[in-house]
Amino acid sequence: MLANKEIAVIGSGTMGRTIAAGLLRSGKVDASRIRATARTRASADKLAQELGVSCSTDNAAAARAAAVIILCVKPKDVEKVAEGLKSTRALAHGPLVLSISAGVSSGFIESILGDSTPVVRAMPNTPCLIGKGMTVVAKGSHATDEHVAIAREIFSTLGRCIELEEKHMDTVTGLSASGPAFIYIIIEALADGGVMRGLPRHVATELVAQMTLGAAEMVLTTGKHPAALKDDVTTPAGCTIAGILALEDGRVRSVLARAVETAAKVAGELGK
Ligand SMILES: NC(=O)c1ccc[n+]([C@@H]2O[C@H](COP(=O)([O-])OP(=O)(O)OC[C@H]3O[C@@H](n4cnc5c(N)ncnc54)[C@H](OP(=O)(O)O)[C@@H]3O)[C@@H](O)[C@H]2O)c1
């Protein structure tokens, strides 16, 4: 479905760049079919130089040429950008609008763009840059299954992609979109333990990162409950259960779960 579709990436910051770079890296979308925009000429030039895609400050021109428009601006900028696209009639050809903005509902975007505009919300994360992303998509009121399929095809080139109801999007934001930052802190902290025991920092970090990758793959490929996998590595009276008890003393489970809950609550406020 992506074949020969022009894609406009409106907003070329961290996520716009990540999505454009990920699409190119997948080989499914050619640089000539991506038109990106930024607010400033400097950002636009930087992206054009980095990725070899056309990048301007003209949202309407990029949108007019595209079958799929991916809004990648900050939540506070969505209203202004959407109003600009509406007032310039840049969506008169009926493209699919994908929005990755945290806390901004599809209903809000539809209310600006016009009631028949197909909108799909998506919540990707930064590992999309290396093809290991996790994206959740949710259908707006006028989007069809075919629109969702196009969105899923785009984000599947950047990693895994599933569809959920829109009511879950703030939770998804606090979990899989904010989550990489939580995991980086855990990786850094575990590496500190290795450094404390005498390992060089770069060695400790490599050990932890590869271990994290392996543990995540075990969860995904075995389909086992994480608790069962944990039990598999805890020998009675062994070192792993000793480490687990230290984690439990630090209330690691409730602290991590509350981090997701707190991030999700804040995500829900971002578009207001
Ligand atoms: N960061 C994440 O991990 C993550 C994950 C999932 C979803 N998101 C969502 O992704 C969206 C973008 O976040 P980000 O971290 O990529 O933000 P960012 O790095 O600040 O990038 C925002 C981009 O939007 C551009 N922009 C601002 N106003 C514009 C306008 N009127 N027309 C065209 N471009 C405009 C900016 O251009 P200039 O550079 O010229 O100012 C910049 O390139 C947010 O809504 C966020 O909720 C982020």
Side-chain angles (χ1 to χ4, degrees):
M1 267 182 293
L2 274 188
N4 304 321
K5 279 199 167 51
E6 303 279 332
I7 297 174
V9 177
I10 308 291
S12 305
T14 305
M15 286 312 291
R17 243 186 354 256
T18 294
I19 291 170
L23 284 170
L24 293 176
R25 186 189 150 282
S26 75
K28 286 203 176 169
V29 180
D30 188 76
S32 64
R33 291 199 282 120
I34 297 180
R35 286 159 202 266
T37 67
R39 184 178 53 87
T40 58
R41 191 68 252 172
S43 290
D45 288 347
K46 190 163 164 251
L47 186 84
Q49 204 173 12
E50 250 175 53
L51 300 184
V53 299
S54 143
C55 192
S56 72
T57 56
D58 189 343
N59 293 340
R64 264 188 210 109
V68 181
I69 294 159
I70 312 180
L71 296 180
C72 301
V73 295
K74 288 283 188 198
K76 69 174 175 53
D77 295 321
V78 171
E79 184 170 6
K80 189 174 144 208
V81 166
E83 277 170 356
L85 293 174
K86 174 76 176 170
S87 64
T88 51
R89 293 192 45 76
L91 307 180
H93 58 303
L96 165 62
V97 176
L98 294 179
S99 167
I100 68 162
S101 282
V104 181
S105 70
S106 61
F108 178 74
I109 298 171
E110 287 163 0
S111 73
I112 299 171
L113 297 182
D115 278 347
S116 59
T117 306
V119 176
V120 171
R121 256 182 93 180
M123 190 44 62
N125 63 11
T126 48
C128 285
L129 186 62
I130 55 163
K132 299 286 181 188
M134 182 68 239
T135 304
V136 174
V137 295
K139 205 182 338 186
S141 352
H142 309 292
T144 61
D145 287 343
E146 195 189 336
H147 292 125
V148 172
I150 293 169
R152 288 188 68 166
E153 191 179 355
I154 286 177
F155 288 103
S156 293
T157 66
L158 313 173
R160 286 181 182 240
C161 181
I162 64 166
E163 181 186 4
L164 289 177
E165 285 179 60
E166 187 167 359
K167 67 179 181 189
H168 296 301
M169 283 312 247
D170 293 339
T171 304
V172 167
T173 305
L175 184 55
S176 53
S178 300
F182 306 157
I183 298 297
Y184 299 141
I185 287 174
I186 291 168
I187 289 175
E188 188 191 6
L190 292 175
D192 280 348
V195 172
M196 183 65 198
R197 292 286 305 173
L199 290 178
R201 169 71 59 186
H202 72 280
V203 174
T205 303
E206 183 181 350
L207 294 186
V208 178
Q210 177 63 20
M211 174 277 290
T212 307
L213 200 61
E217 288 277 359
M218 286 288 280
V219 173
L220 289 174
T221 57
T222 65
K224 280 187 171 181
H225 192 290
L229 291 167
K230 181 260 294 170
D231 285 352
D232 290 345
V233 274
T234 43
T235 312
C239 56
T240 306
I241 190 67
I244 288 171
L245 293 191
L247 286 173
E248 301 289 12
D249 286 346
R251 299 193 304 135
V252 65
R253 289 166 194 262
S254 58
V255 165
L256 291 173
R258 292 274 181 239
V260 173
E261 189 190 28
T262 306
K265 278 185 186 155
V266 173
E269 297 297 315
L270 289 177
K272 296 180 180 149

